[in-house]
Amino acid sequence: MKFKILLLSFTMLTYVYGQKKSDTPPTSDKKIAADSGGIMDFLVQSQIVEFKTSLNRDPFSTPTIITSNNESFSIDDITIQGKVVIQKKTFALILDHEQNVREIPIGFKFIDGELTAITENALVFTQWDANSPDRSLQRTVTKPFRREEAK
């Protein structure tokens, strides 16, 4: 109990002696002006910034992966893995030039062609010259699926 009284009296003394003595009473115009200036500086420094989103889609819809350029690799850069049927749609499984597995549908465009058909044993591509703007010169390329035993 003595310790608590001693601690309480010590805190009161430090509070009383720790106060800065001023020449004028706190109700003077100088003190009020200094306080309001400090408050105004604080308010100016801490302005509320309105957040404006750059979201172009409905925030409640399902997000989709936006691929800006499907034509990022050529037909010769891919490795055919096989095919998969999802909800009665056939997709080709390929490895692209970065060794990423992709499921591509019929009509997928490459730099130098597009996927035109998926058969039981192969993929059929229509290929043209990537450097030429004229796409009238085309050829049909058939790439068979890789067999697991051939590895």
Side-chain angles (χ1 to χ4, degrees):
M1 183 72 169
K2 291 180 184 179
F3 180 71
K4 286 182 183 179
I5 294 173
L6 184 62
L7 183 64
L8 184 62
S9 61
F10 179 71
T11 55
M12 289 181 66
L13 287 175
T14 56
Y15 179 74
V16 170
Y17 287 115
Q19 296 292 323
K20 200 192 281 189
K21 298 202 177 203
S22 62
D23 297 335
T24 58
T27 57
S28 70
D29 292 335
K30 287 174 132 182
K31 183 72 171 169
I32 293 172
D35 284 346
S36 64
I39 292 171
M40 290 303 290
D41 288 340
F42 174 74
L43 291 176
V44 168
Q45 290 174 357
S46 63
Q47 290 292 321
I48 297 173
V49 178
E50 182 180 349
F51 175 73
K52 292 183 181 178
T53 181
S54 62
L55 194 65
N56 293 330
R57 65 171 177 82
D58 180 20
F60 299 106
S61 67
T62 306
T64 57
I65 298 172
I66 300 171
T67 55
S68 61
N69 190 6
N70 281 342
E71 300 180 356
S72 61
F73 47 91
S74 69
I75 294 173
D76 297 328
D77 291 342
I78 65 171
T79 304
I80 309 298
Q81 294 293 315
K83 71 175 183 175
V84 65
V85 179
I86 302 173
Q87 296 179 354
K88 298 182 182 178
K89 276 190 164 181
T90 307
F91 294 93
L93 291 174
I94 63 167
L95 278 174
D96 63 3
H97 64 287
E98 296 174 348
Q99 298 301 309
N100 296 325
V101 176
R102 292 180 175 234
E103 296 173 356
I104 60 171
I106 295 173
F108 186 85
K109 297 200 181 294
F110 296 91
I111 292 173
D112 59 344
E114 82 179 281
L115 178 63
T116 54
I118 301 173
T119 64
E120 291 296 320
N121 300 324
L123 300 181
V124 180
F125 298 94
T126 301
Q127 190 175 25
W128 54 77
D129 185 15
N131 297 327
S132 173
D134 182 26
R135 293 190 176 174
S136 63
L137 299 172
Q138 298 177 350
R139 69 181 185 146
T140 302
V141 177
T142 303
K143 289 193 168 193
F145 296 134
R146 271 179 52 180
R147 296 183 51 127
E148 290 296 321
E149 299 90 34
K151 282 187 175 180

